[in-house]
Amino acid sequence: MLPESMGASFPDSVSAVGSLSDQITDTFEASSLPTLIDYVGIRCLSPAFDPAWAESGAIEHAITLLAEWASVREIAGLVTTVHRIKGRTPLLFIDIPPFNGGQGTALIYGHLDKQPPLGEWSLGLDPFTAVRRGDVLFGRGTCDDGYAIFSALGAIEAMEATGVSHGRCVVLIEASEESGSPDLDAHLDELAPLIAETDLVVCLDSGALDYERLWVTTSLRGNIVLTISAEVLDHGVHSGEASGVVPSSFRVLRQLLDRIEDSRTGEMTLPLFKVAPPDHLLAAAASLAVELGDPLAHHFPAVEGLELMGRDGADRLIRQSWSAALSVIGVDALPPAAEAGNVLRPSTSLKLSIRTPPSVDVHLAQAMLVEILEASPPQGARITVTPETPAQGWVAPTPHRWLADALDAASFEGFGQPPGLLGEGGSIPFLASLGHRFPDAEFVATGVLGPGSHAHGPNESLHIPATIGVTTALATILGHHADQPTTSSSISTIRPTQKKP
């Protein structure tokens, strides 16, 4: 059984062997990849999908595997601790002292909990059996977010092997992110004295439009999840008797959804949701659409002939990252079509996921939605709306000049291209929380959830060269952070068009 704390100490002076990128590649192939393959085999579902997670032991299995791998990294002074709070998922806390005179404290985030399989995977693939095909590793949790610990420690290990300075680094790997991170703040409260000096936060759980550069997330939409139920009968009755007399529970829900969404256009109708994005993000979207040729038009496995929403590529990028949108993500009380009899059903329940613009107060928006959906039930049906804890959106702070320069250098070092700026359509709730906790810190949100990665869906995969590129970029950012003050003059944007010297 893994001890609660483990340490490893190596000489402060380590002779450089090969380049930083070579070191990262060698470590990933020889050590990280085999352990990542073992991790794929663990069914460590997030608590929202496995309420009996503590009894099943899968999360404990995963955190033990990752902690044991971390504890033997050749990183001077590294200490690995499994932090526990009764009734909550554990958190892996890795504390690494400064190396070679580095300054500052960087907090690097990832998570180990997983989404469920979500349907059938392609022939030869299985969510909990890793399969490598060329440069791609398939398996649940590979890109979301199993690679994060390997990227974080692989970068730091390579920096020390090649003599590159870094400041103090704290790596946090939580186990409830896919449930909205309900346990993270409790851990951070208890660990507050150990992370109080954080001046750089790096999140390794975000997306990418391609695998050709470092993608830096500029914003994240919020998320509101509601389950709405309409009841019309105590039990089902023959549709020949009841239809035309008893209102359909499904039709009642259609009427309620019409209160908040225009079903013809998909536009959310509440004025609160109509938020214009900043001008510099509109300009960035237009630039990306020109450079990449309407990237979202080819990003999804759409059926042939499907008309995508949005006027053009730039508009689609803004809609994905800044517009409100409703998705029905679950249904109860509807039998499979093959088993459905001629019955007017007593009730229907829909689970709704509502993405909100990054700057919208999700608590206010959720209260308004519940009030609107519960008011004046159509035909007097019994309506119940059950909200979950909402996820606040996030807008990245403007980077200081040193960080903007570091991101340019990092993307060139890892990919040979300037960085890309990307507003993400998904939600990462803890980033808003960390933003409040560290209001003066620099933030970098990046990741490898790019084309074909299928995070949350069947056939999830990790693009290995992109992972090595992101790891190399992370090492470059940490190297710049090690000797830069946190009070540098700020600039308005990262310069993605800068050419390599």
Side-chain angles (χ1 to χ4, degrees), residues 10-16 76 99-100 160-163:
F10 296 89
D12 289 337
S13 176
V14 182
S15 60
F99 176 76
N100 201 21
E160 296 199 4
T162 54

Side-chain angles (χ1 to χ4, degrees), residues 32-235:
S32 301
L33 192 57
T35 307
L36 180 57
I37 288 171
D38 289 343
Y39 160 81
V40 169
I42 304 173
R43 198 181 179 91
C44 48
L45 301 185
S46 198
F49 309 104
D50 182 12
W53 62 268
E55 292 75 20
S56 73
I59 284 179
E60 185 67 26
H61 184 186
I63 204 167
T64 299
L65 174 73
L66 298 183
E68 288 178 342
W69 178 85
S71 69
V72 297
R73 296 301 92 216
E74 293 191 7
I75 297 174
L78 175 148
V79 176
T80 300
T81 303
V82 178
H83 190 260
R84 302 184 187 280
I85 300 175
K86 185 177 180 180
R88 296 188 182 274
T89 53
L91 176 141
L92 189 55
F93 182 85
I94 302 169
D95 201 346
I96 300 167
F99 176 76
N100 201 21
Q103 303 296 309
T105 298
L107 187 156
I108 307 170
Y109 170 93
H111 69 87
L112 62 81
D113 55 313
K114 302 178 182 181
Q115 288 274 332
L118 194 68
E120 293 295 321
W121 288 40
S122 296
L123 184 65
L125 300 180
D126 181 274
F128 302 110
T129 301
V131 174
R132 182 172 183 174
R133 294 178 178 171
D135 287 335
V136 177
L137 181 70
F138 292 88
R140 178 58 88 224
T142 49
C143 69
D144 187 23
D145 192 34
Y147 85 96
I149 187 173
F150 303 104
S151 184
L153 296 187
I156 296 167
E157 188 171 21
M159 293 176 75
E160 296 199 4
T162 54
V164 179
S165 300
H166 63 73
R168 178 174 174 243
C169 296
V170 172
V171 180
L172 300 182
I173 306 296
E174 72 151 313
S176 66
E177 194 277 339
E178 299 293 3
S179 304
S181 296
D183 298 337
L184 181 59
D185 274 330
H187 285 288
L188 295 179
D189 287 342
E190 290 198 1
L191 295 167
L194 299 178
I195 57 177
E197 301 302 318
T198 297
D199 52 29
L200 172 65
V201 177
V202 180
C203 164
L204 296 174
D205 188 27
S206 198
L209 281 179
D210 62 25
Y211 297 119
E212 306 301 322
R213 70 201 74 205
L214 179 72
W215 286 96
V216 181
T217 301
T218 57
S219 64
L220 296 155
R221 287 192 292 185
N223 191 212
I224 297 169
V225 177
L226 308 170
T227 298
I228 180 169
S229 301
E231 297 177 75
V232 295
L233 295 168
D234 291 332
H235 57 82

Side-chain angles (χ1 to χ4, degrees), residues 254-295:
R254 285 168 55 194
Q255 293 178 68
L256 291 175
L257 295 186
D258 282 343
R259 295 178 179 181
I260 61 174
E261 179 202 42
D262 185 331
S263 60
R264 298 166 302 163
T265 65
E267 301 290 337
M268 299 293 290
T269 56
L270 295 186
L272 180 66
F273 290 148
K274 299 183 182 300
V275 179
D279 289 342
H280 72 275
L281 294 184
L282 290 171
S287 177
L288 276 178
V290 170
E291 179 183 356
L292 301 180
D294 195 0

